[in-house]
Amino acid sequence: MIHIITPFLVAILIGYCFGCFNLAYIISKVKKVDLQNTGSKNLGASNTFISVGKGFGVLVGACDIFKCTLAILLVGFIFPEINYLPYVTGITCVLGHMFPFYLHFKGGKGFASFLGMSLAIHWKYFIIIGICIILITLITKYIVLATMATVISYPIFLFFSTSNWIVVTMVTVLSAIIIIKHHKNLIRIAKGEEFKFKI
């Protein structure tokens, strides 16, 4: 039992700790822009892009993607024989990003880190969905629609590509949480009030 529990706990710890690293928060302190009370009031790439600047937004997005990827690769290096740990690490990293303990559990919305999980585990899917994200954003000007396409399609992809129903269920629940975190964006789109990205 210990041989099973220990890797599981290590994956959770590494994933959550990596997720808690929030570059948007650091930038907000350096630039003296309170992102938690500005724009969408969210410590993520989109709000940084809008409230601080495009370059900073891109930098935060890249950080949020790769911190999840690195966490998964690290756990995979430590425990290469346990094939479900990448998902455990990725999910807890996304949750760490959304609910960092030192920020009163108010972080980002998880989209970029969700992408980082797919990059580490299914890089071909990441490339395909990355192209779709760019096209959807260019056509609609709404990154949140690309977010919805990603978090809905990945559980479906896993349903057909893996026989592990626990993994599919966990990722589906994570996707539902991300959708809920974006509900205000969807409401603003319906009202025509959502920020339109210009790439």
Side-chain angles (χ1 to χ4, degrees), residues 94-112:
V94 176
L95 292 175
H97 175 74
M98 290 192 287
F99 308 108
F101 69 92
Y102 64 97
L103 294 173
H104 307 290
F105 303 100
K106 295 179 180 179
K109 295 182 179 179
F111 174 50

Side-chain angles (χ1 to χ4, degrees), residues 38-53:
T38 304
S40 63
K41 300 180 180 180
N42 172 60
L43 285 171
S46 295
N47 198 27
T48 305
F49 186 97
I50 296 167
S51 303
V52 183

Side-chain angles (χ1 to χ4, degrees), residues 5 62 68 79 90 94 169 190:
I5 294 177
C68 191
F79 304 108
V94 176
T169 301

